[in-house]
Amino acid sequence: MIFQRLGVFPNTDSRRVHPTLNPKGRLQADTVPPSWKPFVQLSRINMPSGAFLTFWPCAWGLLASAYRAEIPLLTTLYQLPAFFVGSVVLRSIACSWNYVCDKDFDVQVKRTEHRPLAAGRVSVKATLIFTIVQAATFVAIPVYPLFKRIMYWPQVWLRCYSTFLGKLLVTSFFYVDKQSVLKSLISWTIYYDTIYATIDVKDDLRIGLKSTAVLFGSWIRPILRLLCIGFIALLIATGILNEQSFGYYGISVLPTTLLLFWEIMTWDQSNPQSAFIRFDQNGRYVGIIVACGLAIDYVLKLQT
């Protein structure tokens, strides 16, 4: 594949192992004092893909709104770091709280049995205090882990929650069509999170946890294709409604389309590392590709 030859995307048999897939449970947190390691692992700061997946939709909304309303560039540049910090904190709170809620399940799942709380490297009390301290700097503690007990679609809550927070922060200039943005983000979130959930699907079935990977079953690949098509179609619809220029379609939409369908075609459903790589690519590449097109459109519009 040309992307692999250029070194842009890794091979599905890459030797880079996701820390939680490492059977020995060694996390890449060796640069901090030993007493800090469990808390770095609780927050997953050393695994930034999730924080990027939280941040990029906020950045997209901000850039699209700034483009439509011709917000001064300096104002937008002030807002983006605030969104990033908020995304990191939100994701850290969600991860810590998730460990508390899922500790009894984590010990039964191969991928998660080495998490700090499940492995006994930190107590529930210490984790709760750590979570509350983080939450004190933000507005709420997400209830995402609890939704896995009652519904197959926990990602919908996750995306609605973050979209609501993003809208709340930029209410004064949130001019883009909210329905198309929300639907596109829900489609994208279910897509990449379903691929990630296949890592644990056997354990989830055994212990009775719900996920879209469990729900879709043997239909998972065609449904993921439909989600990709829906996401791309809604990106196009959002661009039309927001009156984006050709830069958005050429820089954001087209490369994203090629990347997502390449992911589906090359995904090895039987290989957990293949699933993680595709999850990681969405955090690292899809977000920045869409943001680049929006940013270029925005800057060019300000110059005209």
Side-chain angles (χ1 to χ4, degrees):
M1 186 70 185
I2 188 170
F3 291 131
Q4 294 169 346
R5 292 176 182 175
L6 292 174
V8 178
F9 307 127
N11 291 309
T12 55
D13 60 351
S14 170
R15 293 184 178 272
R16 183 170 65 90
V17 179
H18 183 262
T20 58
L21 296 179
N22 187 335
K24 295 183 179 180
R26 291 194 298 265
L27 296 175
Q28 299 170 357
D30 297 330
T31 58
V32 299
S35 60
W36 292 16
K37 284 185 181 181
F39 299 100
V40 171
Q41 295 161 4
L42 285 172
S43 65
R44 298 193 199 176
I45 292 175
N46 58 321
M47 294 182 283
S49 293
F52 284 127
L53 287 167
T54 304
F55 167 69
W56 287 122
C58 299
W60 298 350
L62 179 61
L63 290 169
S65 298
Y67 168 85
R68 183 69 177 271
E70 298 186 35
I71 302 295
L73 181 60
L74 195 59
T75 301
T76 305
L77 292 177
Y78 281 140
Q79 291 283 346
L80 281 171
F83 272 109
F84 181 73
V85 172
S87 298
V88 172
V89 174
L90 173 62
R91 193 258 186 152
S92 180
I93 295 169
C95 290
S96 302
W97 180 238
N98 182 72
Y99 286 148
V100 173
C101 294
D102 283 358
K103 62 182 178 64
D104 294 332
F105 293 110
D106 285 346
V107 297
Q108 303 178 62
V109 178
K110 183 177 181 180
R111 182 180 64 87
T112 60
E113 63 184 358
H114 297 289
R115 285 177 171 175
L117 194 56
R121 292 193 297 274
V122 65
S123 67
V124 174
K125 181 179 179 180
T127 304
L128 284 172
I129 292 173
F130 181 61
T131 304
I132 292 169
V133 169
Q134 294 178 93
T137 66
F138 214 66
V139 295
I141 297 176
V143 297
Y144 166 68
L146 304 180
F147 275 74
K148 291 185 286 186
R149 274 71 164 176
I150 60 175
M151 65 186 297
Y152 287 99
W153 308 85
Q155 310 97 328
V156 175
W157 160 257
L158 186 67
R159 186 52 63 211
C160 288
Y161 182 79
S162 62
T163 302
F164 167 75
L165 290 178
K167 180 181 182 297
L168 192 65
L169 290 172
V170 292
T171 298
S172 60
F173 52 92
F174 199 87
Y175 293 95
V176 295
D177 181 77
K178 302 172 187 63
Q179 290 299 318
S180 62
V181 170
L182 180 59
K183 290 174 183 176
S184 68
L185 294 177
I186 288 175
S187 299
W188 182 48
T189 304
I190 295 175
Y191 162 76
Y192 67 69
D193 199 64
T194 298
I195 291 178
Y196 192 64
T198 60
I199 297 172
D200 301 329
V201 69
K202 292 181 180 178
D203 289 317
D204 288 345
L205 286 168
R206 176 173 53 83
I207 62 180
L209 280 180
K210 296 178 173 64
S211 72
T212 44
V214 172
L215 178 65
F216 296 161
S218 60
W219 289 88
I220 190 167
R221 198 175 289 269
I223 291 175
L224 289 176
R225 291 194 188 101
L226 289 175
L227 287 168
C228 284
I229 293 170
F231 174 52
I232 297 302
L234 288 163
L235 279 183
I236 294 171
T238 300
I240 293 171
L241 292 169
N242 204 46
E243 300 178 1
Q244 296 288 154
S245 74
F246 290 106
Y248 168 75
Y249 301 102
I251 298 171
S252 295
V253 177
L254 180 58
T256 298
T257 303
L258 295 174
L259 172 57
L260 293 183
F261 280 95
W262 173 81
E263 287 182 351
I264 289 292
M265 288 188 295
T266 59
W267 172 42
D268 180 359
Q269 194 171 340
S270 63
N271 182 358
Q273 188 64 14
S274 179
F276 168 70
I277 288 172
R278 273 137 194 81
F279 174 81
D280 191 52
Q281 284 172 353
N282 279 268
R284 292 176 183 270
Y285 302 129
V286 174
I288 197 168
I289 288 170
V290 176
C292 281
L294 288 166
I296 290 172
D297 264 10
Y298 169 47
V299 172
L300 290 176
K301 186 176 183 180
L302 290 179
Q303 292 179 346
T304 57

